[in-house]
Every structure is written in C-alpha cells, then in structure tokens.
Amino acid sequence: MNQILRPSEARGDADFGWLKSKHTFSFGSYFDPNYIGFGALRVINEDRVAPSAGFPTHPHQNMEIISYVVSGGLEHKDSIGTGSVIRPGELQRMSAGTGVRHSEYNHSDTEPVHFLQIWIVPEQDGLQPSYEQKAFAEDERQNALRLIGSRDGRNGSVVIHQDVDLYASLLGADKSLAYDIRPGRKVWLQIVKGKLSVNNQQLSAGDGLGLLDAGAISLAARENAEFLLFDLEA
C-alpha cells in the first residue's frame, strides 16, 4: 500500500521555554515543502505548555481548529463568547470562518498541559464563526474506533466543515482493529501514546502515517496505544 511515514523525530521542533511543540506539517517558522499538509489536513501540532502559561489572544480566519487534550486542562476563551476548559476525552472544534480571536492557557498552575492542535481547511471560506465541545467516554473509545468529528455530526460527533471523518481509539495491548479505506479516500494516522502496528508498519508515540490507497488496513497494538485516524477525500 502506498504510504507516507512521518517519524516523530523528523517533525519540526519549537521550544519557547513555556511551550514545547512538535510540528507534523509545516507551521510557523518551520517549513518543509514535502510536508505542507495531507489533503485538507493542514496542521497537527503536539504542544506541551508549562503551568499558568499559554497563548494570549490572537486571531484566526477560515480554518477549522480542533483541540484534543492528552493530559491536563486547556483553558479557552474567544471573541464569540465561549469560555471553557478542555480535558482528556474531550474534543473542541472552533470554526474561525470570517474571523475570531481566542486565547489558550494551561488551566493549572502546577501541572503542564499536553494536547494536539489540529487545523483542517474548511470546504468554504466566510463561514459564521462557531464553537463546539463534546466529551467521549473512555469505554466508547476502548478497543474501538469512535467517531469524534465528521461533516454531518453523526453519532454524536462534533461537526467539522469539511469532508473528513475523525476517529479516536484506545487500543489495549495485543488487541486489533480493522478499517476499510474506501475508493476515493485516504487516511492519516497519528499515534498519541504507545505502540501501534499498521499493516505490519511499526509506529510509536508521535509518529504519523499517511495511507493513500483504498483497501483494508489492520491496526494492532503492541502495547496500550492511543491514536487518531483521519479519513479524508483523496
């Protein structure tokens, strides 16, 4: 199967003291013409923010911004009146659309927050800014692919304004799952924790893998693994 392997150690790196970030795709001052995105998937940043630190208010426009917290709590405030704390097991989607300003801070003054920030290019510019946040119980993700984001919001997933299905899984050691990539689709897998074998390709935390061909894939955990799967238009 035609694939793109993105090892954790090959990602872009940024260290601002209060923020340590790994960039799967080109972002900020990090640019690699071979890794600008994967279809509509534009950014996967793995961020670790020090206690009480964070990103002061800044603008966004015409982007679907998704936050997936691994550990700790991420405090969010925006110009459309939303204020919340995002915790593990929760997904936040903010549609920047015509323009929104927001801030993101570590909610704790003692513990770091570890999260993935994901940017997806929307189907159209000029959407009305909006916000959504939902929790997905651990048992719904355990040894299963739980749909957490989709264009139509089916099965209780958050709405993403793009033709993408986003799944989350907590796969126990020696457990396996199968997934079928439909014709005209492609898949990006991002490993959050643990070790995962994808069609016998061995992946560890921080690794990414793009699969470009239709067909069945096998997902097997060598140890407890947490990962995201993006099903996108090819």
Side-chain angles (χ1 to χ4, degrees), residues 14-23 45-56 58 67-75 103-117:
D15 187 345
F16 298 97
W18 64 272
L19 167 67
K20 292 176 171 39
S21 184
K22 295 287 188 179
H23 308 324
N45 288 349
E46 183 177 8
D47 291 346
R48 289 175 168 86
V49 177
S52 301
F55 304 89
H58 57 280
S67 297
Y68 179 90
V69 174
V70 182
S71 62
L74 182 66
E75 185 172 352
S103 63
E104 297 162 294
Y105 279 89
N106 187 342
H107 185 62
S108 172
D109 58 6
T110 58
E111 300 295 330
V113 59
H114 176 198
F115 68 102
L116 299 183
Q117 183 155 109

Side-chain angles (χ1 to χ4, degrees), residues 120-187:
I120 294 173
V121 178
E123 290 180 304
Q124 64 183 79
D125 288 348
L127 295 171
Q128 181 70 23
S130 61
Y131 177 94
E132 191 175 10
Q133 181 175 328
K134 290 188 176 180
F136 299 92
E138 187 171 315
D139 61 0
E140 295 180 5
R141 294 173 286 138
Q142 192 70 49
N143 301 323
L145 285 164
R146 173 60 163 105
L147 185 71
I148 61 173
S150 65
R151 176 200 257 165
D152 56 7
R154 68 189 185 280
N155 299 334
S157 60
V158 304
V159 172
I160 301 172
H161 297 99
Q162 179 54 267
D163 184 6
V164 57
D165 288 336
L166 171 56
Y167 297 88
S169 182
L170 302 170
L171 193 57
D174 300 321
K175 299 291 185 179
S176 62
L177 296 168
Y179 189 79
D180 187 44
I181 305 176
R182 294 166 288 149
R185 309 294 294 180
K186 61 184 178 181
V187 158

